Amino acid sequence: MAHLKKNTRGAVPGLAVHFERKTDHHTNKEIDVSKTYLNQDLMADGSDMLSRFNERLNDVYCMKRDDVKALATWIVTLPEELSEAPHDQQSAFFEATSNFLNDHYGQENAVAAVVHYDETTPHLHYAFVPVVFDDKKSRYKVSAKEVLTRHDLQTFHDDLDQHLKKELPFYEQGVLNNKTLPFENVAEIKKYNDQFNALKNELADVEENIRAKQAVLKITDQALMEVDLAEKQIDDFKQALSKNLFGKTVLKPDDLDRFKSVLATMKKATLQSNHETEELKQTLSQVKAQLADVQVNYQDLKETHQALQKRQREQQQMDYAMRDLLKNDYGVNSMKTSDVNARYVLYKLDHEELTKNKKTANSWLKALMIAREDPDTKISPTRLDRGIEQVKALINRIIELTRDLFKGPSL
C-alpha cells in the first residue's frame, strides 16, 4: 500500500514536475489528462514543491554533496477495499494519511502532499525533507539514515493502519471482510456506478462509429474529386479536338478516323464517370445522414452521461450525510450487512416498489429471515415479521400470475 524512496537534491525538480503536473507531455502513458482536474494538492498554500524544498533546506544544515538524500517520498495507494467508495471517503483517506505523515515526520518538513486521481489507481505522493536535531552541534540537519530507520520502516504500515482505523469510521480493514462499512443506500450507489460504467462503454462505441463514418466520408470525397478531374480532362480534350476539326488545320482521313475513335472512347468514359459520380454522391449522402444520426445519438448519450454523473454526485453527498447523521446524532459507527440488506427490502415494501420476479422476491424473503434470526439486529422484530408476511404474499401473487399466464384463456 505504501512505498518509500530516498532522493538526491538533483532529482527534486523532476519530481515536482510529475507531482504537480507542470507539463501536458507525460512519459507515463497511464496518465489521463482529462481527469487531471480531479487531483488534489493537500498543501495548497500558494507556493509550490520546489520553493518549499529550497526554503526548508535554507533553515537546516545539509551537506553539499550530490549524493546526499535530501528528500524522501512516500507513495500511498488507495486500498482495494476503497476502490468503489465515494469520492469523499477516498479524499478523507488521503487527508488522514497525510496528517499521519505530518505528525510522523514533522509538518514543517513536508514539501508536497498531492493526490493523483488521473492514473489507474488513486494514490498520494508525500514528499518531505528528513530532518533530525544534531545534539552535538545543537542544530537541525538533513539525515535520511537517522530519520528512516529500519525499525521505523518495519512498523510504518501497522502504525498507519491503526491511525486510519481510529480516524476513519468507514476504514474497517479486517473487520467486515476487507470491505468498506455498508449503509442503507449502498445498493443504490452501486446501481448508479454500474449504469455509469455501461454508459461510458456505450459512448466509446459511438465515438468509434463516428471515426469509422468519417473515414468513409474522406475516401468518398477523394473519389469524387478524382471523377471531377477526369471529366475536366475529357472536356479540355474535346475542345482541342473541335478546334482541329473546324479550324484551319487540314486532317488526313486516317487522322479523322482516329480522332473519331478517341472521341467515342471519351464519350463512353464520360458516361461511365457520370454514372459512378451519381453512385458516389448517393453513397456520400447516405453516409452523411448516418453520421448525423450518430452524432445526435452521441449528444443524447453525452447529456445522459452528464446527468448520471450529477445524480451520482448527489447520491454520494446523500451517503455522506447519512453516515454523518448515524455517527454523530445516533452514535452508530457500524451496521451489520444483514441489517443493511433487510432495511433495503423494507424500504422497497414501504414505498410499494414491488418486484415481479420470483427469484428477487425469494432473495428479499431470505434477507428478512436472516435479520429476524439475528439476536443482535437493530430492526424491530414486529417490523421484520410484517415485512416477511408481505413478501410471502407477494411471492404467492407472482406464482398465481405465472400459473394464469401459462394456463391461457378458457374455452
Side-chain angles (χ1 to χ4, degrees):
M1 186 176 71
H3 175 72
L4 173 71
K5 185 178 180 181
K6 303 173 186 177
N7 309 273
T8 62
R9 196 179 324 203
V12 176
L15 291 172
V17 170
H18 175 69
F19 289 2
E20 298 175 329
R21 296 292 192 257
K22 292 184 176 180
T23 179
D24 292 330
H25 305 289
H26 303 289
T27 57
N28 185 352
K29 301 302 181 182
E30 293 185 355
I31 296 176
D32 184 352
V33 294
S34 67
K35 297 181 180 179
T36 298
Y37 74 96
L38 295 172
N39 295 346
Q40 289 179 280
D41 183 358
L42 303 182
M43 294 185 65
D45 56 3
S47 61
D48 58 18
M49 173 179 168
L50 198 56
S51 61
R52 296 188 200 110
F53 173 75
N54 291 329
E55 183 178 351
R56 186 54 179 157
L57 280 193
N58 289 334
D59 293 337
V60 298
Y61 171 76
C62 183
M63 296 178 64
K64 301 297 183 181
R65 287 169 36 186
D66 292 339
D67 60 343
V68 172
K69 305 298 184 182
L71 184 77
T73 55
W74 277 105
I75 300 179
V76 183
T77 57
L78 187 73
E80 184 179 354
E81 65 180 275
L82 297 180
S83 61
E84 299 295 331
H87 179 75
D88 62 285
Q89 289 188 8
Q90 295 183 359
S91 178
F93 167 82
F94 289 122
E95 289 182 11
T97 300
S98 179
N99 292 336
F100 169 82
L101 293 167
N102 285 336
D103 293 339
H104 204 65
Y105 299 111
Q107 187 169 0
E108 68 278 5
N109 298 317
V111 299
V114 181
V115 182
H116 287 168
Y117 289 100
D118 57 357
E119 296 184 51
T120 304
T121 303
H123 55 274
L124 166 70
H125 286 287
Y126 183 89
F128 65 99
V129 179
V131 174
V132 295
F133 186 76
D134 188 342
D135 292 325
K136 293 182 178 179
K137 298 185 178 180
S138 299
R139 65 184 181 187
Y140 287 97
K141 68 175 182 178
V142 175
S143 177
K145 181 179 180 180
E146 294 179 62
V147 173
L148 303 167
T149 63
R150 180 181 296 273
H151 178 266
D152 177 69
L153 298 181
Q154 287 175 340
T155 60
F156 178 85
H157 285 84
D158 288 339
D159 293 342
L160 174 59
D161 188 60
Q162 292 300 318
H163 172 80
L164 294 174
K165 286 180 179 178
K166 180 180 178 181
E167 296 296 322
L168 305 176
F170 56 83
Y171 181 83
E172 295 288 341
Q173 186 176 14
V175 177
L176 292 176
N177 298 322
N178 293 323
K179 295 182 179 179
T180 307
L181 182 66
F183 284 87
E184 192 163 350
N185 62 348
V186 167
E188 287 296 309
I189 291 179
K190 184 180 185 301
K191 180 183 72 174
Y192 289 118
N193 282 338
D194 292 342
Q195 293 178 8
F196 180 78
N197 291 329
L199 192 55
K200 283 199 300 185
N201 294 333
E202 191 173 353
L203 277 174
D205 292 339
V206 170
E207 289 173 340
E208 181 62 29
N209 194 6
I210 288 177
R211 285 192 291 269
K213 296 294 185 184
Q214 289 173 335
V216 173
L217 282 175
K218 185 176 180 180
I219 294 171
T220 306
D221 284 336
Q222 180 64 29
L224 287 174
M225 289 175 60
E226 292 175 358
V227 170
D228 290 340
L229 180 61
E231 288 184 338
K232 184 178 184 303
Q233 291 174 342
I234 291 171
D235 290 337
D236 292 343
F237 195 90
K238 286 170 67 178
Q239 291 175 6
L241 181 59
S242 177
K243 180 179 179 181
N244 287 332
L245 287 174
F246 300 103
K248 295 181 180 180
T249 304
V250 178
L251 299 177
K252 296 178 180 179
D254 57 341
D255 290 334
L256 183 58
D257 292 339
R258 181 169 58 84
F259 279 120
K260 286 181 179 179
S261 175
V262 170
L263 182 58
T265 302
M266 286 189 168
K267 286 182 177 180
K268 183 179 179 180
T270 302
L271 292 173
Q272 179 66 26
S273 66
N274 287 337
H275 177 69
E276 291 175 351
T277 299
E278 289 302 320
E279 289 184 344
L280 286 171
K281 285 181 178 178
Q282 290 180 5
T283 301
L284 180 61
S285 177
Q286 292 173 358
V287 171
K288 285 184 176 179
Q290 292 173 0
L291 180 58
D293 291 341
V294 169
Q295 287 175 329
V296 169
N297 292 337
Y298 174 80
Q299 186 62 33
D300 291 342
L301 282 171
K302 188 174 181 181
E303 291 174 359
T304 304
H305 177 256
Q306 292 172 344
L308 187 58
Q309 280 185 312
K310 180 181 178 182
R311 183 127 183 225
Q312 188 181 39
R313 287 194 295 269
E314 292 172 351
Q315 288 292 325
Q316 290 173 346
Q317 292 170 356
M318 182 62 69
D319 176 67
Y320 178 81
M322 180 178 292
R323 293 172 185 271
D324 183 75
L325 176 70
L326 289 172
K327 178 183 176 182
N328 296 310
D329 293 357
Y330 295 97
V332 177
N333 291 318
S334 64
M335 186 179 293
K336 302 182 70 171
T337 304
S338 58
D339 274 13
V340 173
N341 295 335
R343 289 179 186 276
Y344 174 78
V345 175
L346 292 171
Y347 173 87
K348 292 290 186 181
L349 295 174
D350 291 344
H351 292 77
E352 297 184 356
E353 297 178 8
L354 306 181
T355 181
K356 296 181 180 180
N357 185 285
K358 182 181 176 183
K359 183 177 180 181
T360 301
N362 283 324
S363 69
W364 286 8
L365 180 61
K366 182 179 179 181
L368 293 176
M369 295 292 290
I370 290 174
R372 184 64 179 87
E373 295 170 0
D374 185 358
D376 296 325
T377 181
K378 302 297 183 182
I379 307 174
S380 168
T382 56
R383 189 182 180 197
L384 287 170
D385 289 339
R386 185 171 62 254
I388 290 171
E389 293 304 318
Q390 286 179 276
V391 175
K392 285 181 178 179
L394 174 62
I395 294 173
N396 288 333
R397 286 200 300 273
I398 294 174
I399 293 174
E400 290 175 3
L401 289 172
T402 304
R403 185 184 301 119
D404 292 342
L405 181 64
F406 282 98
K407 183 188 301 182
S410 59
L411 299 176

